[in-house]
Amino acid sequence: MYSLFEQFENDKLIIAYSGLVIDQITVPLVHLNEHLLSDELSLNKVSKKTSFLITEAFQNIVRHKIDEDEISDEVAKHKDFFLIKVTDDRVLIASVNIVQNQVTEFLEDRISHLNSLDQAELKELRQNVLQYSVFSEKGGAGLGLIEIIRKSQLPLQKKFIKINDEQSLMILELELGIESY
């Protein structure tokens, strides 16, 4: 435990959550973030944007996670994970959840494509999605990843770790620079 403390002792804020990710957790997590960041005068300006990014990242887990009845005993030991880390110059938001292997290639290609776009292209794509997209079965229209990259203004980092022939862990990391505020 002490080595974990040493790893994070110079950070301004660490919030980590491991367990079942459901919509009802989003609001308390955002409130906790806003309260803690608003107490730190230098971080008050990024509090709203950070709250938005937390909400979108959390919703991404909720939208893309696999159904409970599709989880095998082998996969059940892996829990959803969410982390907010604030340092002197940036906010890091990371999430880990289980997804079906059949969507990993799509998500990997989608994120790579979005990372390659500049702000004007992302804005245009956002408008097109708003105007022409329909909602998926899980309630998403594809805006979440676009908005995460638009708001953070940095590439979204991704990694997929295969658990078995059907499921993988999806790891997403996004950063928000503090110095630009």
Side-chain angles (χ1 to χ4, degrees), residues 5-100:
F5 168 76
E6 286 182 317
Q7 183 179 352
F8 296 128
E9 73 179 328
N10 293 324
D11 297 330
K12 292 185 176 198
L13 172 69
I14 298 284
I15 300 173
Y17 174 81
S18 179
L20 182 63
V21 173
I22 54 176
D23 281 326
Q24 292 82 350
I25 297 171
T26 308
V27 173
L29 189 63
V30 167
H31 287 312
L32 178 61
N33 171 73
E34 287 174 349
H35 173 73
L36 294 172
L37 289 184
S38 65
D39 283 351
E40 182 77 39
L41 192 57
S42 64
L43 300 175
N44 196 25
K45 293 179 182 178
V46 298
S47 176
K48 220 172 214 166
K49 193 174 274 195
T50 302
S51 294
F52 175 84
L53 292 170
I54 289 168
T55 302
E56 287 298 325
F58 217 74
Q59 289 301 310
N60 192 57
I61 294 174
V62 172
R63 297 280 182 260
H64 293 289
K65 72 180 184 174
I66 62 174
D67 295 328
E68 296 296 320
D69 59 337
E70 297 176 12
I71 297 177
S72 66
D73 290 339
E74 174 189 7
V75 176
K77 66 182 179 185
H78 299 281
K79 295 180 182 175
D80 296 331
F81 179 77
F82 194 80
L83 172 78
I84 305 163
K85 177 180 173 181
V86 180
T87 66
D88 286 332
D89 64 343
R90 63 189 56 250
V91 176
L92 170 73
I93 300 171
S95 64
V96 179
N97 64 297
I98 302 166
V99 295
Q100 294 289 3

Side-chain angles (χ1 to χ4, degrees), residues 3 12 40 65 71 82 101-102 107 109 149:
S3 64
K12 292 185 176 198
E40 182 77 39
K65 72 180 184 174
I71 297 177
F82 194 80
N101 286 341
Q102 63 196 28
L107 288 169
D109 291 345
I149 295 170

Side-chain angles (χ1 to χ4, degrees), residues 113-137:
H113 172 69
L114 293 174
N115 281 341
S116 72
L117 301 177
D118 63 27
Q119 287 295 311
E121 292 167 323
L122 286 166
K123 184 176 180 179
E124 182 180 340
L125 179 59
R126 177 185 181 274
Q127 294 295 23
N128 288 335
V129 168
L130 284 171
Q131 189 171 5
Y132 301 113
S133 285
V134 294
F135 287 94
S136 71
E137 291 176 9

